[in-house]
Amino acid sequence: MQLFEELKARGLIAQLNDEEEIKELINNGKATFYMGFDPTANSLHIGHFMAFCMMKRLQLAGNRPIVLIGGGTGMVGDPSGKTDMRSMLETSMIDENGERFKRQMENFLDFGEGKAIFVNNADWLRELKYVDMLREVGAHFSVNRMLTAECYKQRMEKGLSFLEFNYMIMQSYDYYVLFQKYGCNMQLGGDDQWSNLLAGADLIRRKLGKKAYALTNTLLLNADGSKMGKTVKGALWIDAEKTSPFEFYQYWRNVADSEVIKCLKMMTFLPLAEIGEMSKWEGSRLNEAKEILAFEVTKMVHGKEEADKAKAGALSLFAGGGGTEIPTTVLVDDDFENEAIDIVSLLTKGELVLSRSEGRRAVEQGGVSIDNEKVTDFKQAFTKASFGGEGLLVKRGKKHFRRFVV
């Protein structure tokens, strides 16, 4: 099976503007392609990892990736998929985030000589003169057509700032610059980027009379996990300081039964034939498939050593043991009132619930346990001595847990 056919079989291609020519390009290692990442947070998240997997598959087939850091576009903010305008960051913060992105990305792609390259659109966008930009690029865009794009339509009722309205033009100009400077002939993006990708390919055609290609990969999930139909508390970050390897492992270990094969196809490099055999598994064997998924993805993001630790910690936890890699919260004197702390305070401090009222309901409904013993009184409190040397393991439901130590 050649690369293009494999990408389709894995469910990774959502839309593309010229299937036969793109197929010819990527199957023969002739694509120089780019994907952009706006540094509006201080870490990449799992949605970005999905993109890296796609880029890595293309690179392994001989195609050349260009990783574009959006030091310029990040100052504007892409309205795609957003219900409100993104908070504007200081330029220094955008630049700092961009450097963090670069360090994280180096773990996924080969940036050796003649391989993948980094570029930053701040190098050309921040130096542009406004009127020159309007004359060179803006003249090729129809406002009527732009307003039909999904990325703008969904924002029209709540309000779309003129600043954000320029994002499509800026992203298109990125493609135009990379086409001329590096011979970049294909742009990748999430499926919500389709309008922007087409606009960039069309700008190249209008200004240079050359063909350029656009391909969107299927969105798996955003930072908040919403695309998986599963709600997680907070974002699933690649930075181990923001989401520990153990928490990362457990997220994938707990995906819905209906999602595990889909995730194995999209996010691992296991052979399709092997995944096909797993698709026949039923009942408790699906848990084995989830463990394979969790290990493979954690290994790619955090390395084999951390994946081994996370797996061992999970096995220990669910076997009733302590588990050395369980997320831990350290309590200090100020956390104790009258030398005690109640169960609801533990739940909220450990971010196992979003509020005290939610914590109280969880206890009353029988969904909270401490060291595998159900808690029935939401007023139950614990002194420092209660935590002993190893602390207390608090669980909410089957999938959320945290160890508390003093």
Side-chain angles (χ1 to χ4, degrees):
M1 184 183 296
Q2 290 188 287
L3 176 62
F4 184 83
E5 289 72 23
E6 180 175 352
L7 295 178
K8 292 193 76 171
R10 289 182 180 272
L12 289 170
I13 296 178
Q15 301 185 77
L16 64 172
N17 66 343
D18 194 322
E19 180 165 335
E20 288 306 312
E21 294 201 27
I22 289 175
K23 178 179 177 179
E24 169 70 16
L25 277 176
I26 66 176
N27 280 350
N28 292 287
K30 296 178 181 178
T32 297
F33 65 96
Y34 97 91
M35 197 165 192
F37 303 87
D38 285 344
T40 52
N42 62 4
S43 172
L44 298 163
H45 57 66
I46 196 62
H48 296 126
F49 172 72
M50 175 75 174
F52 299 147
C53 287
M54 183 74 161
M55 297 177 82
K56 188 174 184 68
R57 293 180 205 278
L58 289 167
Q59 185 179 45
L60 290 172
N63 301 285
R64 189 183 193 192
I66 299 174
V67 177
L68 183 142
I69 302 294
T73 44
M75 298 177 71
V76 173
D78 183 3
S80 301
K82 309 292 190 304
T83 57
D84 294 292
M85 182 174 171
R86 176 185 282 157
S87 299
M88 287 192 287
L89 301 178
E90 295 291 335
T91 303
S92 59
M93 181 62 70
I94 291 173
D95 292 341
E96 182 180 329
N97 290 345
E99 289 302 313
R100 290 174 66 92
F101 275 25
K102 287 176 66 175
R103 291 193 294 271
Q104 291 178 332
M105 290 174 183
E106 287 170 348
N107 295 323
F108 297 99
L109 298 172
D110 182 358
F111 288 93
E113 186 175 352
K115 303 292 185 179
I117 59 173
F118 280 116
V119 296
N120 191 324
N121 63 18
D123 294 342
W124 55 84
L125 290 179
R126 290 185 190 175
E127 302 302 318
L128 285 173
K129 294 180 179 178
Y130 183 65
V131 175
D132 292 343
M133 176 68 166
L134 291 179
R135 286 173 60 87
E136 182 175 1
V137 181
H140 298 281
F141 284 79
S142 161
V143 171
N144 290 348
R145 185 175 176 184
M146 291 172 71
L147 289 174
T148 65
E150 286 299 322
C151 60
Y152 292 143
K153 278 170 40 177
Q154 63 189 21
R155 284 288 303 280
M156 293 304 291
E157 287 188 13
K158 294 198 67 174
L160 176 70
S161 72
F162 182 71
L163 179 69
E164 295 170 290
F165 189 63
N166 285 272
Y167 193 92
M168 180 185 289
I169 296 175
M170 295 172 71
Q171 182 170 329
S172 299
Y173 187 68
D174 287 343
Y175 197 178
Y176 173 67
V177 169
L178 296 175
F179 185 95
Q180 294 188 97
K181 188 171 183 178
Y182 298 102
C184 179
N185 52 17
M186 188 168 73
Q187 182 182 181
L188 267 62
D191 200 23
D192 62 341
Q193 289 282 309
W194 182 235
S195 298
N196 291 340
L197 271 61
L198 284 181
D202 192 49
L203 176 64
I204 292 168
R205 179 185 61 82
R206 287 171 176 270
K207 288 189 66 66
L208 302 175
K210 301 288 183 67
K211 281 189 175 182
Y213 304 99
L215 185 153
T216 65
N217 62 306
T218 305
L219 279 178
L220 187 62
L221 42 76
N222 291 325
D224 65 357
S226 59
K227 294 297 180 182
M228 287 294 293
K230 173 182 172 62
T231 301
V232 294
K233 295 186 182 301
L236 200 62
W237 301 102
I238 287 175
D239 187 339
E241 295 298 318
K242 294 170 75 72
T243 299
S244 73
F246 181 83
E247 291 171 303
F248 191 85
Y249 178 96
Q250 281 302 121
Y251 175 80
W252 298 109
R253 171 61 182 80
N254 292 325
V255 298
D257 290 355
S258 60
E259 301 284 359
V260 61
I261 299 301
K262 174 183 174 182
C263 291
L264 282 164
K265 287 180 178 179
M266 288 183 166
M267 305 194 70
T268 78
F269 286 77
L270 296 175
L272 282 170
E274 185 177 337
I275 298 173
E277 288 300 312
M278 292 185 213
S279 69
K280 302 173 186 175
W281 296 355
E282 297 178 351
S284 61
R285 284 213 76 187
L286 277 175
N287 289 330
E288 184 181 342
K290 293 179 185 181
E291 289 169 1
I292 293 170
L293 168 67
F295 183 82
E296 290 295 322
V297 179
T298 306
K299 181 176 67 174
M300 284 190 283
V301 173
H302 295 293
K304 184 176 184 301
E305 182 178 352
E306 291 297 334
D308 285 333
K309 288 180 182 178
K311 182 178 180 179
L315 291 172
S316 178
L317 173 68
F318 291 105
T324 58
E325 299 300 317
I326 297 172
T328 300
T329 295
V330 178
L331 302 173
V332 297
D333 289 343
D334 289 346
D335 294 317
F336 292 83
E337 186 176 345
N338 297 324
E339 299 187 352
I341 184 170
D342 61 68
I343 182 60
V344 176
S345 295
L346 289 177
L347 291 170
T348 53
K349 186 169 183 61
E351 297 183 348
L352 295 171
V353 295
L354 296 178
S355 64
R356 290 189 63 86
S357 58
E358 183 184 354
R360 176 173 176 170
R361 286 195 302 272
V363 173
E364 291 176 332
Q365 293 167 3
V368 177
S369 66
I370 293 184
D371 288 344
N372 294 317
E373 291 189 12
K374 186 173 293 187
V375 178
T376 57
D377 181 4
F378 68 85
K379 295 182 180 179
Q380 184 172 345
F382 308 88
T383 65
K384 293 179 183 178
S386 305
F387 293 83
E390 295 186 358
L392 296 177
L393 179 65
V394 179
K395 291 185 184 180
R396 182 182 69 80
K398 296 180 179 180
K399 301 178 180 179
H400 306 284
F401 40 81
R402 184 165 287 272
R403 182 172 298 284
F404 293 85
V405 298
V406 178

